Amino acid sequence: MRITQLDTFLTNSGLRNYLFVRLTTDTGVTGVGEASLEWQEKTVETLIHEWVEDVFWRGSVGRREDRRQPDPRSIPGRPDRANGH
C-alpha cells in the first residue's frame, strides 16, 4: 500500500483556522487528520506541500535507512562540535 495523494484543507471556523490533511492510498483507503498549529496553519500547510510531499513521492516513507540525518558536527553555532573541537 502506497500513498498516492495528499490534500490539505484550510478552514475558518470564526475565531480560528483549522488545517486538515487527507491521505489516499493506491488501494483506495483514505484518512483525514487535523494538523493545526495555533496561528501557524498556513505555515504548516506550506511545510506539508514543500517538504512532506517530497518525502512521500520519493518513496522513503517507512524506510528508516532512507531518512537522512544531518551531521551533528555541521550544526551552525556549535563550535564545540565543528571541526572536532
Side-chain angles (χ1 to χ4, degrees):
M1 179 170 32
R2 296 184 60 81
I3 296 170
T4 58
Q5 187 172 347
L6 183 150
D7 300 302
T8 57
F9 305 94
L10 190 56
T11 63
N12 183 314
S13 67
L15 296 176
R16 70 171 290 184
N17 297 321
Y18 289 94
L19 178 65
F20 293 95
V21 177
R22 179 177 62 196
L23 299 176
T24 306
T25 69
D26 58 353
T27 61
V29 176
T30 300
V32 177
E34 192 255 336
S36 302
L37 180 60
E38 193 167 334
W39 303 108
Q40 301 297 321
E41 291 81 9
K42 191 64 179 169
T43 302
V44 174
E45 183 179 41
T46 301
L47 176 71
I48 287 170
H49 285 290
E50 291 186 4
W51 184 77
V52 174
E53 272 186 342
D54 182 52
V55 171
F56 282 132
W57 303 159
R58 280 187 312 190
S60 63
V61 173
R63 292 178 21 205
R64 185 180 202 120
E65 64 275 6
D66 288 345
R67 296 183 189 154
R68 308 256 184 320
Q69 296 295 322
D71 183 353
R73 294 171 294 179
S74 67
I75 298 173
R78 298 291 304 264
D80 59 318
R81 294 187 177 189
N83 300 323
H85 296 154

